[in-house]
Amino acid sequence: MHFNAKETTIKKNLLKIVKFVDGDGIILEDIISKKEFEVRFLGIDAPEINYCNKIKQDEKELQVPAALLIKLGYLSFNFLKDQVNLGDYCTLVQEQNNLVDKYGRHLGYLILNDGRVLNEIMIKEGYAKPYNDVFCEMLPKYQKLSLRAKSKKKGLYKIVNKF
């Protein structure tokens, strides 16, 4: 993972995965303070797993039934859970100008112990799409990876053309 030379990122170590939220969210624990906090993966968006306002909005915009979107959301969620385990340690990298979202969730890139970036894995394998509503440093890369996943019909793209 390469960021520009201007120190625009914050790196948080000594974090432990304690709960999965959905295909683009996770709960981490700072192992020093024992405080838990929710992280929304920066630059990506996975389908929802519950019927909510966002599902209604996606259903209308994409012309895809809510029930199918929720099924896709669970496929994404399960893929995420196959990539990491509860109790695994990780590093969170945050961009200075994208620290939290409007719901107070921390935004960031989750780096696994083997050096892979979970956000990137979700996009590359077709289980999430780029989140174009907020610009982040990795967005152009995620857009390219997503196009590749879509053209190869990987992940959710085996089932639908858009989600």
Side-chain angles (χ1 to χ4, degrees):
M1 180 167 205
H2 303 285
F3 292 98
N4 67 37
K6 299 178 204 162
E7 277 301 316
T8 58
T9 59
I10 297 171
K11 193 173 180 182
K12 296 179 181 174
N13 296 306
L14 302 174
L15 301 173
K16 183 168 65 171
I17 298 168
V18 292
K19 185 178 179 190
F20 299 105
V21 176
D22 55 22
D24 55 24
I26 209 158
I27 306 284
L28 298 178
E29 177 188 78
D30 180 313
I31 62 171
I32 305 297
S33 69
K34 299 293 183 203
K35 288 189 176 149
E36 292 184 4
F37 58 97
E38 186 172 349
V39 173
R40 168 100 168 50
F41 302 145
L42 186 57
I44 77 169
D45 187 31
E48 302 299 317
I49 59 174
N50 296 306
Y51 193 78
C52 59
N53 286 336
K54 176 128 178 7
I55 278 283
K56 288 187 250 181
Q57 178 187 332
D58 289 346
E59 182 178 44
K60 190 175 178 181
E61 285 177 19
L62 300 168
Q63 298 293 301
V64 175
L68 177 55
L69 289 170
I70 290 170
K71 178 183 174 189
L72 297 173
Y74 273 101
L75 290 171
S76 177
F77 182 53
N78 289 329
F79 178 80
L80 171 68
K81 292 192 296 186
D82 287 343
Q83 303 310 302
V84 292
N85 297 305
L86 294 179
D88 283 357
Y89 292 95
C90 60
T91 299
L92 181 66
V93 174
Q94 294 184 280
E95 295 180 1
Q96 289 276 11
N97 59 342
N98 283 322
L99 294 174
V100 294
D101 67 7
K102 62 184 177 184
Y103 304 107
R105 300 176 294 192
H106 294 251
L107 296 170
Y109 305 102
L110 202 75
I111 303 173
L112 305 176
N113 281 335
D114 63 8
R116 294 179 307 146
V117 181
L118 195 50
N119 310 44
E120 189 173 308
I121 295 167
M122 297 300 291
I123 292 274
K124 193 187 276 188
E125 298 302 323
Y127 288 94
K129 64 183 180 184
Y131 185 65
N132 296 309
D133 293 358
V134 175
F135 183 80
C136 65
E137 283 192 35
M138 298 315 244
L139 186 59
K141 179 180 184 177
Y142 290 171
Q143 290 168 332
K144 286 178 191 167
L145 291 173
S146 182
L147 281 173
R148 195 173 302 141
K150 187 175 184 176
S151 70
K152 292 182 175 184
K153 298 217 178 289
K154 292 179 96 173
L156 304 181
Y157 293 115
K158 289 181 207 162
I159 302 166
V160 293
N161 286 325
K162 57 188 175 181
F163 57 87

